[in-house]
């Protein structure tokens, strides 16, 4: 990628350029540590950090131009682009700099509180079975076909995202399947992305520390449907795929003007699941739609996965994938890392690791466990620090109501006192406990070992909250921590 300052400035209305307009830019960065030779350094004034203070470091690392909204003093060879609002300017400049990569591929965006990751993996598998080259941007990782890259946010920031999409376009991806978080939509991280199919899974309590109300949260999600429905786009065949069993679907539908495909279990819809039989190691059900019927025998289980499969099938049909390809893929599909994932070391009880970290997510996996449990359910869970505090007692009540043994522990405490977090979880646990065994163990490793120590034949141990994550965020450090690794060690130690 290479553009001149003159080309970039031409996109902006209120702009002044001091220095050489013909300075050529090879990259864009807003983190001075990521600056390399011939970079445009974008000075964002954030809540805690002001990029203008890092100009000297950026220049030292190779920046040749700066995008600013304040008066700055720089060496004469540095070109200064001054605008009233750096973020607004960045949203115009960055997609252009990377040649609007999302226009060169089909882009499927998946939003919702729960189910985004499983839906994206199922859809990726279907598209690949159909012969397409597929990129994936999600909570767990970025994938360019089978090449894996780490990820730090569910949806990367606008610069990183456009750069990733440009890499995918260069690698000749036909499709990109992307999880789109409410934060990304509210913060315009997906600006410059042309979506072709948008999927809504569900909306339950989460991120209220940021959005404040469920109404605001729903409106943030609905921006994806504004984007897919927008006029004057470069690609044709725009679709929305919406779960109408969820009350927030009404908000998504209000923001959708492109063709819409609805799915449900309980309501009349374009795609509907029936004859559902949830088993210990899979689920059988039938999907009915305009294409006819599809009888499925899946290797993934739980009602929540019936919904996830419906959303992926809806997106695949919207993208004109043949039903027989969809069915063949679904019946081969096995699992997603950290999503109701079995930890099997040959023990005579079940251990399941899941990412469930919201009230709805925890309730879903415990209901599924209850359907397949022969004996007790032992639940290990916690709540993250510096996040929505209102969900802590709610999750405590759910765990106590649907489990036989509850072990409350730390998740990612971050800067909060783990003891205080657990006291808020405990308030909910105590309301529903009704004499059931209950322990509070701050150290997560100790809690997991304790759950496995007390597990007996045919019990189910649920370890909820972190799923695929292989780290734990403490007050002053981030440590390596993997629930599956710890569980395996505990099981092996028990034999």
């Amino acid at each position: 990628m290479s553009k001149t300052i003159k080309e970039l400035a031409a996109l902006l209305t209120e702009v002044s350029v001091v220095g050489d307009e013909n300075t050529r830019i090879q990259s864009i960065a807003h983190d001075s540590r990521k600056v390399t030779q011939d970079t445009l350094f974008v000075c964002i004034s954030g809540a805690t950090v002001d990029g203008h203070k890092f100009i000297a470091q950026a220049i030292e690392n190779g920046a040749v131009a700066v995008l600013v909204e304040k008066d700055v003093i720089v060496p004469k060879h540095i070109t200064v682009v001054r605008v009233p609002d750096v973020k607004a300017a960045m949203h115009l400049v960055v997609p252009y700099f990377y040649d609007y990569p999302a226009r060169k591929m089909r882009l499927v965006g998946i939003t919702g509180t729960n189910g985004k990751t499983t839906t994206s993996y199922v859809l990726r598998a279907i598209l690949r079975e159909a012969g397409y080259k597929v990129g994936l941007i999600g909570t767990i990782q970025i994938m360019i076909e089978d090449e894996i890259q780490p990820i730090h946010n569910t949806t990367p920031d606008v610069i990183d995202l456009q750069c990733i999409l440009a890499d995918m376009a260069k690698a000749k991806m036909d499709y990109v399947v992307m999880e789109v978080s409410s934060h990304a939509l509210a913060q315009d991280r997906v600006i410059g992305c042309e979506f072709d199919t948008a999927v809504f899974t569900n909306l339950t309590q989460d991120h209220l520390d940021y959005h404040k109300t469920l109404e605001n949260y729903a409106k943030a999600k609905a921006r994806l449907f504004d984007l897919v429905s927008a006029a004057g786009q470069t690609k044709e065949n725009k679709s929305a795929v919406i779960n109408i069993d969820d009350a927030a679907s009404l908000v998504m539908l209000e923001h959708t003007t492109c063709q819409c495909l609805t799915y449900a279990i309980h309501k009349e819809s374009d795609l509907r699941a029936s004859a559902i039989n949830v088993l210990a190691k899979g689920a059988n059900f039938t999907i009915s739609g305009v294409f006819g019927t599809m009888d499925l025998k899946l290797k993934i289980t739980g009602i929540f996965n019936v919904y996830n499969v419906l959303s992926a099938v809806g997106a695949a049909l919207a993208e004109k994938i043949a039903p027989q390809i969809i069915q063949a893929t679904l019946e081969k599909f096995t699992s997603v890392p950290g999503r109701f994932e079995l930890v099997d070391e040959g023990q005579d009880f079940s251990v399941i690791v899941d990412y469930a970290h919201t009230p709805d997510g925890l309730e879903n996996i415990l209901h599924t466990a209850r359907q397949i449990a022969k004996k007790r359910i032992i639940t290990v869970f916690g709540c993250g620090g510096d996040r929505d505090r209102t969900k802590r007692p709610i999750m405590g009540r759910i765990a106590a109501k649907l489990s036989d043994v509850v072990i409350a522990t730390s998740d990612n405490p971050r800067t909060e006192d783990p003891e205080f977090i657990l006291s808020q979880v405990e308030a909910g646990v105590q309301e529903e406990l009704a004499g059931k065994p209950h322990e509070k163990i701050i150290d997560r490793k100790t809690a997991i070992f304790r759950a496995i120590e007390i597990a007996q034949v045919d019990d189910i141990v649920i370890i909820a909250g972190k799923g695929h994550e292989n780290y734990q965020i403490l007050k002053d450090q981030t440590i390596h921590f993997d629930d599956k690794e710890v569980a395996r060690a505990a099981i092996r130690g028990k034999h």
Side-chain angles (χ1 to χ4, degrees):
M1 302 296 165
S2 174
K3 298 281 191 297
T4 64
I5 289 295
K6 187 174 183 179
E7 290 175 279
L8 301 181
L11 302 170
L12 309 172
T13 47
E14 298 178 64
V15 59
S16 68
V17 178
V18 177
D20 185 1
E21 283 191 330
N22 295 312
T23 297
R24 191 160 284 280
I25 300 301
Q26 303 293 341
S27 67
I28 300 177
H30 62 71
D31 182 337
S32 58
R33 295 166 296 186
K34 293 182 179 179
V35 169
T36 55
Q37 200 60 42
D38 299 329
T39 293
L40 169 64
F41 180 56
V42 178
C43 302
I44 296 174
S45 301
T48 54
V49 177
D50 183 352
H52 295 79
K53 293 180 179 177
F54 296 90
I55 288 175
Q57 185 182 338
I59 292 170
E60 192 176 318
N61 290 342
V64 290
V66 291
L67 180 63
V68 301
E69 59 190 22
K70 299 178 180 178
D71 289 329
V72 295
I73 299 171
V74 297
K76 285 184 179 179
H77 68 282
I78 301 298
T79 303
V80 178
V81 183
R82 174 81 183 260
V83 292
D85 183 337
V86 162
K87 280 187 180 177
M90 181 174 72
H91 293 160
L92 293 170
V93 163
V94 173
Y96 170 80
F97 176 79
Y98 287 104
D99 295 328
Y100 301 102
R103 295 177 182 175
K104 300 169 185 175
M105 306 167 283
R106 298 290 293 176
L107 182 59
V108 180
I110 302 165
T111 199
T113 308
N114 299 311
K116 295 187 296 295
T117 299
T118 299
T119 298
S120 67
Y121 272 73
V122 173
L123 180 59
R124 170 181 177 267
I126 293 168
L127 293 169
R128 294 186 83 191
E129 183 76 14
Y132 293 109
K133 296 179 74 176
V134 185
L136 179 83
I137 301 172
T139 307
I140 299 175
Q141 60 201 7
I142 295 164
M143 300 179 81
I144 304 179
E145 282 284 81
D146 291 316
E147 179 196 332
I148 295 171
Q149 300 176 4
I151 194 162
H152 305 293
N153 291 321
T154 299
T155 313
D157 69 44
V158 66
I159 297 175
D160 288 343
L161 178 57
Q162 293 297 321
C163 183
I164 291 161
L165 289 170
D167 286 344
M168 289 182 173
K170 188 177 178 183
K172 300 283 192 290
M173 294 300 104
D174 301 299
Y175 276 91
V176 176
V177 179
M178 179 163 70
E179 293 183 48
V180 186
S181 69
S182 57
H183 287 70
L185 289 159
Q187 295 167 8
D188 287 326
R189 290 188 220 154
V190 294
I191 206 87
C193 290
E194 184 178 328
F195 290 94
D196 300 293
T197 292
V199 179
F200 170 69
T201 60
N202 52 60
L203 188 130
T204 61
Q205 182 171 344
D206 197 19
H207 304 306
L208 296 192
D209 53 313
Y210 180 82
H211 297 291
K212 307 305 179 191
T213 67
L214 276 171
E215 184 183 18
N216 289 344
Y217 185 26
K219 284 179 180 174
K221 296 284 188 196
R223 292 192 69 183
L224 181 61
F225 298 88
D226 290 328
L227 291 172
V228 78
S229 301
Q233 303 195 64
T234 63
K235 291 174 283 179
E236 296 179 347
N237 183 34
K238 306 292 180 177
S239 303
V241 179
I242 295 175
N243 171 16
I244 59 166
D245 274 347
D246 192 286
S249 62
L250 295 173
V251 182
M252 310 307 144
L253 290 165
E254 284 171 8
H255 288 257
T256 301
T257 56
C258 63
Q259 69 175 357
C260 183
L261 193 156
T262 60
Y263 68 91
I265 293 173
H266 303 296
K267 292 185 178 177
E268 287 295 328
S269 51
D270 299 316
L271 284 181
R272 194 168 181 186
S274 60
I276 299 166
N277 187 15
V278 173
L279 307 165
K281 293 190 175 178
N284 303 334
F285 58 98
T286 298
I287 298 178
S288 307
V290 289
F291 63 88
T293 59
M294 188 184 293
D295 296 320
L296 294 170
K297 292 183 178 178
L298 302 187
K299 295 181 175 73
I300 55 176
T301 191
I303 287 291
F304 57 92
N305 273 327
V306 176
Y307 278 107
N308 293 336
V309 166
L310 280 168
S311 61
V313 170
L317 290 171
E319 289 297 329
K320 314 296 188 196
I321 307 299
Q324 59 268 29
I325 291 174
I326 296 171
Q327 181 165 7
T329 310
L330 292 174
E331 296 196 336
K332 287 190 288 188
F333 191 84
T334 51
S335 68
V336 177
R339 300 316 192 265
F340 215 75
E341 188 175 0
L342 209 61
V343 179
D344 189 357
E345 289 286 325
Q347 73 277 13
D348 54 11
F349 54 91
S350 298
V351 177
I352 293 165
V353 169
D354 195 274
Y355 188 54
H357 60 285
T358 65
D360 185 64
L362 186 62
E363 190 168 17
N364 280 338
I365 64 161
L366 291 177
H367 272 309
T368 297
R370 183 57 66 197
Q371 288 176 293
I372 61 178
K374 294 178 182 174
K375 296 281 184 67
R376 301 179 302 169
I377 295 174
I378 302 166
T379 302
V380 180
F381 83 107
C383 292
D386 302 335
R387 297 293 186 269
D388 180 7
R389 293 182 177 187
T390 63
K391 70 182 182 183
R392 294 171 186 171
I394 299 170
M395 289 178 69
R397 284 194 292 274
I398 289 166
K401 183 178 180 180
L402 298 176
S403 311
D404 299 293
V405 181
V406 176
I407 301 177
T409 189
S410 296
D411 192 294
N412 290 322
R414 299 182 176 88
T415 65
E416 282 195 77
D417 176 8
E419 186 76 55
F420 173 71
I421 297 171
L422 281 184
S423 72
Q424 294 193 310
V425 173
E426 284 276 297
V429 170
Q430 295 296 345
E431 286 178 37
E432 286 282 354
L433 209 50
K436 295 174 188 173
H438 160 244
E439 296 183 41
K440 182 176 73 171
I441 303 172
I442 287 176
D443 181 71
R444 192 172 179 91
K445 180 179 178 181
T446 306
I448 292 170
F449 266 75
R450 174 62 178 159
I452 285 164
E453 177 195 342
I454 63 175
Q456 298 169 7
V457 177
D458 289 335
D459 283 347
I460 296 177
V461 177
I462 298 282
I463 305 169
K466 295 181 64 58
H468 63 279
E469 292 179 353
N470 61 2
Y471 57 85
Q472 190 175 27
I473 307 170
L474 309 176
K475 184 169 288 186
D476 56 352
Q477 61 180 325
T478 297
I479 63 168
H480 177 79
F481 194 98
D482 186 320
D483 282 352
K484 286 178 286 185
E485 284 179 12
V486 174
R488 288 188 193 284
I491 296 164
R492 287 196 292 266
K494 183 170 178 168
H495 289 327

